[in-house]
Amino acid sequence: MSDLLANLNTPQLQAVTLPSVHALVLAGAGSGKTRVLTTRIAWLMSTGQVGPHGVLAVTFTNKAAKEMTARLSTLVPINPRGMWIGTFHGLCNRLLRAHYREAGLPQTFQILDSADQLAMVKRLLKNLNVDDEKYPPRELCHFINAHKEQGVRAAQAEVYDNYTEKRVELYAEYENQCNREGVVDFAELLLRCYELLQRNEPLRKHYQARFSYILVDEVQDTNKLQYAWLKLLAGGGAKVFAVGDDDQSIYRFRGAEVGNMRDFEREYAGDNVIRLEQNYRSHGNILTAANAIIKNNRERLGKNLWTEAGDGEPIRCFEGYSDLDEARFIVEEIRELVRDGVSPTQIALLYRSNAQSRVLENELFTKNVPYKVYGGLRFFERQEVKHALAYLRLLGNPDDDTAFLRVVNFPTRGIGARSLENLQVTAHQMNSSLYNAAASLTGKAGQTVGAFIRLVETLRQETAGLPLPEVVEHVIEKSGLAQHYRTEKEGQERLENLDELINAAATFIDDEGAIGEGGALVSFLTLASLEAGEHQAGEGQGAVQLMSVHSAKGLEFDVVFITGLEQGLFPHENAVSEGKDGLEEERRLMYVAVTRARRRLYLSCAQTRMLHGQTRYCMPSGFLDEIPESLLLKLNKKAAPAPAYPAYVSFGGVYAEPAVAGGLRVGQTVEHAKFGVGVIVASEGRGADARVQINFGASGMKWLALEYAKLTPV
Ligand code: ATP
Ligand code: MG
């Protein structure tokens, strides 16, 4: 026990050992909030105030939940498996799985990730003959999610003009479609769970009595619905312990409200507000820079961080001629750091927009530096993996139209687009799923679609009772997916990913006892949906970490590179155009980025950048000016670096080079129907012989003949 409390400073110790009260820890980055929260759980348990059963802890990512669980098991001699530690989505999913009937869901309900949701909305607009230019699908998704996050169903949505009326009508249609298919989107997980608890008194009472301690990390980023959900669960007398930092609130665009933290302070914490001001993460110069940046924000609860660590190294700045120049500089530095003994996993490359990662990835790839991208092309979102998952989803729930459409004609079975359109019209009229409506198809369509239905039925029979990895393997083989990729030219890597999926199923341990109801397959599919954004195939040891600033929240690294510090990019132009509030949110994001660094921080920008197919001429970010000059070490090269660069590099006219062909240039970002988005890195040949080499990131490097590869600039 004394070990547990050793190495805590006075206010940390006070927070950890508070008696049974509501409390708020309001403190800056790296001051030990997450550590205090974890230690408090351990302390409560080891002093016998609560058992593992009575704790509910909300973390920001699944990764954080795993770390917290692992950490706990080192602090207290209990087995924390089966404890309710997870993200809002994860915990709501768990509750809904356990009470699917009461929630009005099929036992095997599936989760739509954002790409699935978009696909469903597009399909819906098409079926209803709605003009998707007037009602852009993405905006509609946003409209729906924003309402759900406010706890508002279509039936209660406010209508103030014809346009909104139509959108609300589409929201209602979308709800019906989801119910018909037995699928839920991310926001629905929360709303459904909230409504269930609100409506069902015995269930609510049960959970209110069960959890006597509720702990919340990153409380500044909760939205209205999440806050209401917490209040509901705490309604039976549970004590809520929340930790957060208003300066790190970065999800306003998703409905997060710093106001929740103030409400929490008023409604719950009262006098039990503890502030931590000592930072244990970063060296002095880094912290001074972070403080200097954030003090330009008006809307702050106000706090100042200090550290006992020395000033440390100056902050390194680099201004490149182009984004490629910037990438080269960064990769050179990384190689040097690694040579000097820094572990690559302790090096993070942060960017404001995911699109920026391509040029960095390309350079890392070329120089053979292993790297891992968070939130890039995600393992569970790859085409081949999604195909396999779609078959698996149909086994559990044939009414899942999204899964049905994904694989009904993959591998091809001669089912035409026309037949599918007819099928969709019929299903719509019958108010049934595509799977059910298929029986009514006649003629050739009846035969081909019928064969697909029989395939799914056969797969279901053949896999009944098999262990999970064998189910996955069987489906990949017998669905024809494996054969399809075996014959495809570039199929090797996809086959490897499918093997990886079998491996993932084998290592998947259903450790969530309480949700095992739908069986291992359903739990596995759930993991695939919930972790889509965080998982990466071949999660390598020894890889440099690439991620957006948003996904770096809560993490720390010895060395951090913040890249693309340019006006319009970071701060982002969309946010800037919103005025002061937008800019302040960007500044908080910058503060989050800077405070990830322990020992060394690099800030870099480029004078020209290729983004979304266009060369942009950039000014350095205004945030750079907010850092005192005395902290900075400028590393710019003196002379133009032309000779060091291969002749084909072409950026913003700095190194002139004619177009490859068809208006494409080296350095340009393009989209390929099969491989996704990539960057042209080299070219050869002219006219009909022209070929380009493209780095498709996770899909690898490919040489493609321009005449055949349909490439669209993005
Ligand atoms: P963020 O706001 O970024 O989420 P945080 O406030 O949650 O940060 P932690 O991640 O808990 O901060 O802690 C930052 C680092 O400081 C961690 O490496 C943690 O182990 C260390 N740390 C925290 N408190 C102490 C302490 N009293 N003594 C030594 N190290 C500490
Ligand atoms: Mg934290």
Side-chain angles (χ1 to χ4, degrees):
M1 228 273 279
S2 54
D3 277 359
L4 192 65
L5 302 178
N7 300 323
L8 293 176
N9 65 30
T10 310
Q12 286 179 336
L13 182 68
Q14 187 200 348
V16 166
T17 58
L18 275 174
S20 186
V21 291
H22 299 301
L24 172 68
V25 175
L26 171 65
S31 59
K33 294 183 297 299
T34 304
R35 181 170 164 146
V36 160
L37 189 143
T38 312
T39 315
R40 175 151 173 92
I41 300 177
W43 180 78
L44 286 169
M45 292 199 297
S46 65
T47 49
Q49 300 183 61
V50 66
H53 197 71
V55 174
L56 178 96
V58 188
T59 58
F60 204 71
T61 58
N62 292 303
K63 188 163 174 271
K66 272 186 209 133
E67 272 168 23
M68 190 173 287
T69 313
R71 180 103 202 279
L72 267 180
S73 54
T74 66
L75 293 176
V76 270
I78 50 117
N79 180 359
R81 274 173 83 189
M83 282 182 66
W84 285 60
I85 299 181
T87 60
F88 280 106
H89 290 129
L91 295 167
C92 288
N93 168 64
R94 185 168 180 171
L95 210 136
L96 291 174
R97 293 277 169 208
H99 306 286
Y100 66 93
R101 269 194 213 94
E102 294 91 329
L105 288 167
Q107 182 169 17
T108 54
F109 75 84
Q110 284 304 321
I111 300 166
L112 295 182
D113 64 22
S114 34
D116 295 333
Q117 184 187 32
L118 185 64
M120 161 140 15
V121 165
K122 283 184 180 162
R123 218 163 58 231
L124 200 71
L125 294 177
K126 195 143 179 258
N127 284 343
L128 298 171
N129 274 326
V130 177
D131 180 359
D132 62 3
E133 295 211 342
K134 194 159 172 210
Y135 298 94
R138 256 174 224 287
E139 263 175 36
L140 205 54
C141 286
H142 184 76
F143 179 81
I144 293 169
N145 295 341
H147 275 83
K148 289 190 180 185
E149 277 154 13
Q150 294 289 321
V152 180
R153 291 282 179 203
Q156 299 119 27
E158 194 189 343
V159 172
Y160 36 85
D161 56 21
N162 290 345
Y163 187 64
T164 333
E165 186 174 5
K166 183 71 186 167
R167 297 214 286 182
V168 170
E169 197 185 304
L170 291 168
Y171 175 15
E173 288 284 351
Y174 171 84
E175 282 182 326
N176 290 338
Q177 186 66 24
C178 287
N179 287 336
R180 262 199 301 273
E181 293 188 30
V183 292
V184 296
D185 58 43
F186 285 153
E188 182 72 23
L189 280 173
L190 262 146
L191 182 53
R192 193 60 83 113
C193 185
Y194 175 77
E195 288 172 346
L196 171 66
L197 290 173
Q198 204 181 36
R199 186 175 66 229
N200 190 321
E201 192 180 341
L203 209 62
R204 182 173 69 246
K205 289 242 152 81
H206 166 79
Y207 282 102
Q208 284 177 339
R210 170 180 174 154
F211 298 120
S212 42
Y213 288 93
I214 296 177
L215 302 100
V216 192
D217 200 359
E218 310 272 11
V219 69
Q220 77 279 358
D221 275 328
T222 51
N223 65 31
K224 195 172 156 190
L225 183 58
Q226 291 165 339
Y227 186 60
W229 185 85
L230 286 170
K231 277 174 79 168
L232 201 58
L233 276 176
K239 296 295 179 252
V240 187
F241 183 88
V243 310
D245 178 5
D246 56 310
D247 288 335
Q248 294 185 70
S249 164
I250 55 176
Y251 280 96
R252 202 171 56 105
F253 68 96
R254 272 204 215 149
E257 292 181 21
V258 181
N260 287 337
M261 205 156 89
R262 298 205 183 102
D263 289 349
F264 179 77
E265 182 173 355
R266 203 183 56 243
E267 293 177 48
Y268 286 88
D271 294 335
N272 296 317
V273 178
I274 294 178
R275 289 174 186 258
L276 311 174
E277 303 212 308
Q278 180 169 3
N279 173 297
Y280 288 92
R281 181 179 292 147
S282 311
H283 279 160
N285 287 338
I286 297 172
L287 206 57
T288 311
N291 285 337
I293 292 166
I294 199 67
K295 83 166 194 291
N296 295 295
N297 270 8
R298 294 278 143 77
E299 302 285 328
R300 298 183 67 205
L301 299 179
K303 50 195 138 35
N304 220 5
L305 285 174
W306 58 274
T307 176
E308 271 175 2
D311 289 346
E313 304 178 4
I315 294 165
R316 291 164 162 78
C317 287
F318 178 78
E319 181 172 355
Y321 301 97
S322 65
D323 45 357
L324 184 66
D325 191 24
E326 181 195 27
R328 283 172 185 236
F329 163 77
I330 291 170
V331 174
E332 256 331 292
E333 291 289 312
I334 291 176
R335 281 155 59 103
E336 213 158 285
L337 285 162
V338 173
R339 266 200 300 275
D340 291 346
V342 178
S343 158
T345 53
Q346 276 303 323
I347 302 177
L349 264 63
L350 307 184
Y351 34 80
R352 173 67 181 84
S353 304
N354 282 312
Q356 284 171 254
S357 78
R358 294 286 161 191
V359 61
L360 295 167
E361 283 186 62
N362 189 34
E363 190 59 22
L364 288 160
F365 182 90
T366 319
K367 299 280 163 58
N368 278 325
V369 179
Y371 66 90
K372 178 182 164 192
V373 187
Y374 286 83
L377 189 57
R378 302 135 185 188
F379 178 66
F380 285 119
E381 289 181 3
R382 287 165 195 222
Q383 186 211 80
E384 62 277 16
V385 174
K386 281 205 105 168
H387 284 329
L389 291 173
Y391 277 103
L392 292 166
R393 283 165 76 143
L394 285 176
L395 295 190
N397 174 16
D399 294 336
D400 187 333
D401 286 354
T402 311
F404 182 97
L405 283 174
R406 178 168 268 279
V407 289
V408 63
N409 199 32
F410 195 97
T412 39
R413 311 187 164 83
I415 301 173
R418 193 66 163 279
S419 308
L420 286 181
E421 266 171 36
N422 289 340
L423 179 60
Q424 291 190 63
V425 172
T426 314
H428 189 66
Q429 283 161 356
M430 292 168 61
N431 194 16
S432 88
S433 67
L434 297 172
Y435 198 87
N436 272 334
S440 64
L441 284 182
T442 53
K444 180 163 178 289
Q447 281 173 20
T448 47
V449 178
F452 172 70
I453 303 281
R454 279 194 300 284
L455 170 67
V456 175
E457 294 299 328
T458 313
L459 288 175
R460 184 176 305 118
Q461 283 157 16
E462 288 173 351
T463 54
L466 288 183
L468 178 65
E470 287 177 34
V471 175
V472 178
E473 191 172 356
H474 188 90
V475 166
I476 289 173
E477 199 52 55
K478 292 292 167 62
S479 62
L481 278 180
Q483 188 54 27
H484 172 86
Y485 291 121
R486 268 183 215 120
T487 53
E488 196 189 70
K489 228 160 130 206
E490 312 278 355
Q492 189 48 36
E493 194 180 327
R494 298 195 188 271
L495 282 171
E496 283 166 17
N497 285 332
L498 289 175
D499 279 343
E500 177 87 16
L501 185 67
I502 302 171
N503 289 343
T507 47
F508 171 71
I509 303 158
D510 184 11
D511 59 357
E512 314 225 343
I515 65 157
E517 295 229 10
L521 177 59
V522 172
S523 309
F524 181 61
L525 292 171
T526 304
L527 170 99
S529 309
L530 286 181
E531 286 206 354
E534 297 177 25
H535 196 94
Q536 181 81 6
E539 215 163 322
Q541 291 293 308
V544 172
Q545 317 276 303
L546 269 69
M547 66 192 83
S548 68
V549 180
H550 279 101
S551 27
K553 200 163 82 143
L555 305 180
E556 55 188 23
F557 305 92
D558 281 343
V559 181
V560 169
F561 289 84
I562 306 177
T563 69
L565 278 165
E566 295 137 29
Q567 274 311 101
L569 193 57
F570 196 3
H572 198 278
E573 54 210 359
N574 294 352
V576 175
S577 66
E578 274 179 42
K580 189 177 87 50
D581 289 352
L583 184 63
E584 294 216 340
E585 172 113 339
E586 292 294 301
R587 194 176 278 114
R588 290 192 291 270
L589 206 49
M590 179 67 183
Y591 174 78
V592 168
V594 169
T595 53
R596 297 310 97 198
R598 284 203 196 102
R599 295 198 294 109
R600 186 181 284 193
L601 177 64
Y602 288 88
L603 307 174
S604 61
C605 59
Q607 290 164 1
T608 65
R609 178 174 300 276
M610 189 65 111
L611 211 63
H612 309 302
Q614 280 183 336
T615 304
R616 303 155 56 117
Y617 295 86
C618 321
M619 297 287 291
S621 167
F623 295 148
L624 290 168
D625 298 332
E626 296 178 357
I627 304 174
E629 283 265 344
S630 59
L631 303 177
L632 303 176
L633 173 65
K634 300 220 163 129
L635 297 172
N636 279 15
K637 293 185 201 140
K638 302 274 182 305
Y645 290 72
Y648 60 72
V649 178
S650 158
F651 274 98
V654 179
Y655 320 106
E657 160 73 16
V660 173
L664 297 175
R665 268 172 299 120
V666 169
Q668 187 157 3
T669 309
V670 289
E671 184 159 32
H672 181 270
K674 214 177 317 155
F675 304 122
V677 176
V679 174
I680 302 182
V681 294
S683 72
E684 60 176 39
R686 290 278 157 209
D689 290 325
R691 296 186 338 129
V692 286
Q693 188 185 26
I694 303 182
N695 180 3
F696 287 106
S699 302
M701 282 280 192
K702 318 270 181 221
W703 273 104
L704 299 172
L706 268 186
E707 203 177 8
Y708 302 109
K710 289 207 180 67
L711 298 171
T712 27
V714 291

